[in-house]
Amino acid sequence: MQMFARAGNLRYNRLKSLGGEKMREKVFRDPVHNFIRIDDPLILRLVDTREFQRLRRIKQLGVANTVFHTAEHSRFSHSLGVYEIARQIAKHMEQFTQPSDELGVGVWDPSERQVLLSAALLHDLGHGPYSHTFEHIFKTNHEKYTQDIILSPETEVHQVLAATNPELPNKVAQVIAKTYPNKQVVALISSQIDADRMDYLLRDAYYSGATYGTFDLARIIHLMRPVQAGIAFEQKGMTTVEDYIVSRYQMYEQVYFHPVSRGIEVLLTHLLERATQLYRGEVSSQFAAPNFITPDLIPLFEGQITLSQYLDLDDASILENINLWRHAHDQVLSDLAKRFLDRQPLKSLEITDDSRSHLPEIRQIIEAAGFDVRYYTAENDSFDTAYDLYHPNNKNAKTQIEILHPDGHLVELSMQSRLVQALRGKTYGNARYFFPREMLQIQTTDDLMTPIYQEFQQHIKNGQIV
């Protein structure tokens, strides 16, 4: 025990001692940005913290690697990429630290660089394993957890920030919460065209093998101008901004909303729901909690998890338990675990307004085939907008993109671009109904389930419910 305490103290002292050192530039090789350069001792100390290193063990795209087999990249690499884009932006903004002759251009405060780079690096700290599926099941909020990690005196991240400047943890947390007074910094971390989105589009496109998410990052940064309300883009480069908007639209359509990936997510959702209900005694079963759950998940299932316990969780934590559940006595849990681990996603059909009324009948057919519809079916809606105007009263309102004209006045992007105007406010994606793949199997004369399968398949035409 003393050995572990001594190791922890040595780690903390090492992180702390770097504060007064001058350092040479440290370079990370990166397939998206080629090089990620760290020339600030604070950023390097933050990278070395326990909380940031944990992001190596959380995939950026959750279960998407079941469809795009090379999409194995982590939130660690994404967060480093966001830092690198923010570093390049901060360098670009250095030319605007004094009032400019350029009409409409504001002033960038160089003292904000430290806050900007820290927030860029740390913006995803609070993500749990299988991020968005995890949040849905356990009602967590990764942005709130990110703020808690930054503000808690118990975390290495907080200690490193506070050792540099006692006010720095609060400032960085305010950027994450979008309440920081400097709107320019907030816009660079969270807006419709920010360092976060630009990195994940480029990175996810690279690792998924898609070509949809590519755009001219260097050109976009070159076009950025600080204005009083945040960030604007020079009119002469509007085509580059349009290209970014279209790239984002294509990535959501082709990668993020992929129906097979969603089918795996539905499986994972129902799997975690079943395990939680079994642990809490909400359904009857032979499930034995001590034998089929690891200690790190118990606080989560009990709904009383501390920040330290939350930080113990990563993708491996969930996978370890799913491997155990493969052998569970509970047949539903065991079967869902096998389907998830062996990549047997639920199949799906698109739901239209006309076909939604058929869903109750379809559920009855699936139930007649022996499947519990609570765990083997789901309605899943995945929608987004390519670009939207700013609606301040809406939850998670999106800041609009401003184009700076040569005479100094600002015009909202869709008022300037016919292309973006055509996309503005229009949702894309679809609603799908997920069901067991067995319902589509080829019938045989000696199969007792054949009449049920035939009845189900009569409701399908051209990938839709009829």
Side-chain angles (χ1 to χ4, degrees), residues 4 19 73 75 96 111 130 194 206 214 219 228 248 263 265-266 294 345-346 355 394 401 403 408 410 439 444 458:
F4 288 113
H73 55 302
R75 291 200 175 270
F96 304 110
S111 69
Y130 296 101
D194 56 29
Y206 177 88
T214 57
R219 177 69 171 160
Q228 185 174 1
R248 183 176 184 273
E265 286 178 357
V266 169
T294 58
L346 297 177
S355 65
N394 287 3
I401 298 174
I403 300 299
L410 296 171
M439 301 304 297
T444 59
Q458 288 172 1

Side-chain angles (χ1 to χ4, degrees), residues 11-67:
R11 176 175 172 78
Y12 174 73
N13 290 334
R14 180 176 66 82
L15 291 169
K16 187 176 179 181
S17 68
L18 286 169
E21 293 182 9
K22 289 185 178 180
M23 60 171 283
R24 290 184 176 182
E25 180 180 79
K26 183 176 180 62
V27 177
F28 291 82
R29 291 300 301 265
D30 185 80
V32 176
H33 302 298
N34 195 16
F35 295 106
I36 293 176
R37 304 179 185 279
I38 298 180
D39 55 5
D40 185 334
L42 167 64
I43 299 300
L44 188 58
R45 294 201 307 277
L46 290 172
V47 169
D48 283 343
T49 59
R50 171 204 173 195
E51 295 82 22
F52 191 77
Q53 290 293 318
R54 167 181 169 269
L55 297 181
R56 291 181 183 272
R57 306 189 299 276
I58 297 179
K59 287 189 177 70
Q60 173 71 11
L61 286 182
V63 300
N65 65 320
T66 59
V67 179

